[in-house]
Amino acid sequence: MKKRLLLDVDEVICFTGFLPLINEFMNTNYVIDDFKDYFIDEIAIPKDRFEEFNNFINKRNLYENAYVLPHAIETIKILNEVYDIYICSSCINPFDIKGSGKLFLNKYNFLLKNLPFIKPEKYIFTSVKNLFIADIQIDDRLSNLDGNIETKILFPSYHNKEITDNELKNKGIIRAGYDWKDGWREVGNILLNDLENSDKPKIYNYHK
Ligand SMILES: [Mg+2]
């Protein structure tokens, strides 16, 4: 039986159009690595313009021009041959609960288009990720990696660079490097290089 893998979406498969929309709204030129905190709107948007900003982004599709992370699709496609992959992703914006329904639809359409080899029956849209029994979980937020999972992988991101190796070691979490640009190469090395030769997918071509 294939091992079960829970896979996050935002900041792992893609960056949504959120930051480009912040730049459009504020007339700024931020790049993602300018931020250290997860909720970049709390930093980039003045409090007195928050409501105006939420109204502005509610009219847009955050996944229309999402940026897919380097090597994400090709690596997930290879992993899908040897692992039983479930998408496990929150669709709630805690700063805009009423407007969050759109995120479910837009994320659903993004996944259908970009990961056609994963059946939509395997999409799990929830913030309560520790409910599930699985063998492997990949997520960029430490707070999501608190379930009973054998192999937990922290995907590198702008907001988790300062988490120490010691903290991860104590929590039994593997770090897929320190730079999101190389995250998928690292994940490939972690999850594919350790397989027995007979289990390796035929299109396997990862090298350390
Ligand atoms: Mg995420």
Side-chain angles (χ1 to χ4, degrees):
M1 209 167 82
K2 285 180 176 178
K3 285 189 171 179
R4 209 175 270 169
L5 189 161
L6 297 179
L7 177 59
D8 183 28
V9 176
D10 300 329
E11 286 84 43
V12 172
I13 297 175
C14 69
F15 289 127
T16 71
F18 199 61
L19 180 57
L21 287 173
I22 286 178
N23 281 330
E24 189 181 324
F25 181 76
M26 294 297 295
N27 201 17
T28 47
N29 290 302
Y30 288 118
V31 293
I32 198 69
D33 285 314
D34 289 336
F35 299 90
K36 286 181 180 175
D37 293 320
Y38 183 74
F39 293 109
I40 60 179
D41 45 347
E42 279 206 311
I43 308 295
I45 308 293
K47 291 254 177 306
D48 60 349
R49 296 195 68 192
F50 228 80
E51 202 181 329
E52 188 193 344
F53 174 69
N54 279 336
N55 291 335
F56 167 77
I57 55 165
N58 274 344
K59 295 187 186 86
R60 309 290 281 268
N61 175 355
L62 291 183
Y63 291 89
E64 193 176 32
N65 297 310
Y67 172 79
V68 177
L69 268 64
H71 307 294
I73 305 299
E74 69 204 56
T75 311
I76 296 166
K77 203 170 180 181
I78 296 169
L79 289 172
N80 193 47
E81 289 196 22
V82 268
Y83 295 102
D84 185 19
I85 300 180
Y86 290 79
I87 297 294
C88 189
S89 177
S90 170
C91 295
I92 304 289
N93 173 1
F95 301 110
D96 184 23
I97 298 295
K98 278 188 183 170
S100 290
K102 258 185 82 171
L103 295 175
F104 287 78
L105 172 65
N106 293 337
K107 190 176 286 193
Y108 180 90
N109 287 335
F110 168 85
L111 291 167
L112 266 190
K113 183 179 163 200
N114 288 281
L115 298 167
F117 46 87
I118 296 182
K119 288 182 181 169
E121 287 89 335
K122 297 172 86 181
Y123 299 168
I124 305 165
F125 291 146
T126 181
S127 310
V128 193
K129 298 186 179 183
N130 59 10
L131 271 178
F132 305 104
I133 298 167
D135 302 287
I136 301 156
Q137 185 183 4
I138 304 172
D139 207 288
D140 61 302
R141 296 187 77 185
L142 208 50
S143 56
N144 286 333
L145 293 167
D146 63 344
N148 191 14
I149 309 270
E150 193 183 310
T151 304
K152 300 174 185 179
I153 298 175
L154 182 74
F155 197 91
S157 204
Y158 63 94
H159 61 85
N160 65 25
K161 288 178 189 165
E162 292 181 353
I163 297 170
T164 65
D165 290 347
N166 226 10
E167 182 176 358
L168 293 182
K169 197 177 160 200
N170 290 338
K171 291 180 172 166
I173 295 171
I174 302 166
R175 170 179 249 147
Y178 296 84
D179 187 342
W180 56 264
K181 296 181 203 76
D182 293 325
W184 277 105
R185 217 184 284 276
E186 292 286 339
V187 169
N189 284 334
I190 295 165
L191 293 178
L192 294 168
N193 280 334
D194 284 346
L195 292 174
E196 298 293 326
N197 267 335
S198 58
D199 290 337
K200 282 186 180 169
K202 291 195 175 52
I203 52 169
Y204 174 83
N205 59 357
Y206 265 77
H207 300 287
K208 275 191 174 168

